[in-house]
Amino acid sequence: MSKIRVDHVFTSESVSEGHPDKVCDQISDAVLDACLAQDPKSRVACETLVSTNLVVNAGEITCSGWDKINPEAIARKVVREIGYDRVELEFCADTFEYQNRLHGQSPDISQGVTASETHEQGAGDQGMMFGYASDETEALMPAPVYYSHLLLDELQKIRKAGTIPYLRPDSKSQVSIKYVDGRPDHITSVVISHQTADVPLETIRKDLIEVAKRVLGPTGLLKGNVEYFINPTGKFVIGGPHGDSGLTGRKIIVDTYGGVGSHGGGAFSGKDPSKVDRSAAYYARYVAKNIVAAGLAKKCEVQVAYAIGIAKPLSINVDTYGTGKLEDSVLEAIVSSGKIFDFRPAAIIKELGLLTPKGWSYRDTAAYGHFGRPQFPWEKTDKIEALKAAAK
């Protein structure tokens, strides 16, 4: 059984919606949203690349009514809404070159994934997916990544409101937390690297430290001598896709739990929910979160594995890191029984409403984390009573 390391410092990062990789994730997911709105049975694997004044889409899409979807217009809309609307940034919604290399899905894959009268919908790929939850924050997320996301979410609101007029879209944050007796005790350091206009570093430091203290103060973790590293290179004017190229799916740790727990290696954005890389990872989070919310463990990790084209998982594993009120094998049996949770792809899609999002979109997931945000259906804690009853 895994053990908790009680005294240590753990660090996680976040990246903003203007980070090159996150620009790509949002374009890919916006294309997915458009396809599902047109045809809920769409099969989508949309990749995006960005560089200096360039956006390229590639991948496989099968969508009834695809001719009604304009991926170039979608890309320009996303880029504009992020805030790349100035020619001087060398990446601008109105001027970038666009290339479309999207085509249909392989029929070899489709025959194993698509349901028929004789074949239950199978997993869109092989692999293993993980879900995690911890009671150290109200969102049942690990504290370092959760607070890193909150910092950048607040900074993007400030940027878009014009409250700090020199802020530009690209930014990163990092929060380091000292754990004592296995619980978050205090923040040791905060890093913010934010693209700006060419203004004095002293001004940037003063303004962004003030924002950090306002966001992190309510956590009660700003104790003693917190180190703040604001634009530590001394200057961050050239940024976004002009400063660094971006690709869909390169921020898988930012997207999940900040390095806490395990990761199966699969990215999320641009993939329809037949791809278990995405849907099963969402469902594993749903299961882990409900176990922690039910008070059956302080920490919980759920692993599930699939073979392509096969509906039934090959394995389901539950690890509570020694914090469970029941043996992990007992929790695993409850989770695997099919009475409370159903890990078959079609069942996941139906239970979470993944083909017809209501009150959220896939693009919403593509910045500031796929987990710990209440608008997403996999964040529901509606299985608490069923789990408690099964645990008796």
Side-chain angles (χ1 to χ4, degrees), residues 81-95:
E81 289 176 352
I82 290 170
Y84 287 110
D85 53 5
R86 307 177 188 206
V87 174
E88 62 266 26
L89 296 178
E90 299 290 345
F91 183 75
C92 177
D94 296 320
T95 60

Side-chain angles (χ1 to χ4, degrees), residues 6 19 33 71 102-103 115 121 156 210 213 245 276 281 304 335-336 343 358 375 382 390:
V6 292
H19 184 281
D33 285 327
L102 295 163
H103 58 84
Q121 179 176 342
Q156 67 93 9
E210 182 179 300
K213 288 181 176 179
S245 62
V276 284
V304 59
V335 168
S336 303
F343 280 86
K358 292 181 174 60
Q375 66 266 44
D382 57 349

Side-chain angles (χ1 to χ4, degrees), residues 102-153:
L102 295 163
H103 58 84
Q105 184 190 41
S106 162
D108 294 349
I109 295 174
S110 181
Q111 70 177 354
V113 176
T114 303
S116 68
E117 291 183 3
T118 59
H119 179 78
E120 183 177 10
Q121 179 176 342
D125 202 351
Q126 71 174 49
M128 61 284 186
M129 300 84 211
F130 292 87
Y132 183 87
S134 167
D135 69 354
E136 61 192 54
T137 62
E138 288 185 357
L140 303 186
M141 285 287 288
V145 71
Y146 184 65
Y147 297 137
S148 295
H149 288 322
L150 289 185
L151 271 176
L152 292 189
D153 190 34

Side-chain angles (χ1 to χ4, degrees), residues 177-198:
I177 295 179
K178 177 65 180 289
Y179 284 72
V180 176
D181 293 330
R183 307 295 296 177
D185 184 76
H186 62 276
I187 292 171
T188 61
S189 66
V190 176
V191 181
I192 301 174
S193 294
H194 209 302
Q195 183 187 16
T196 68
D198 197 357

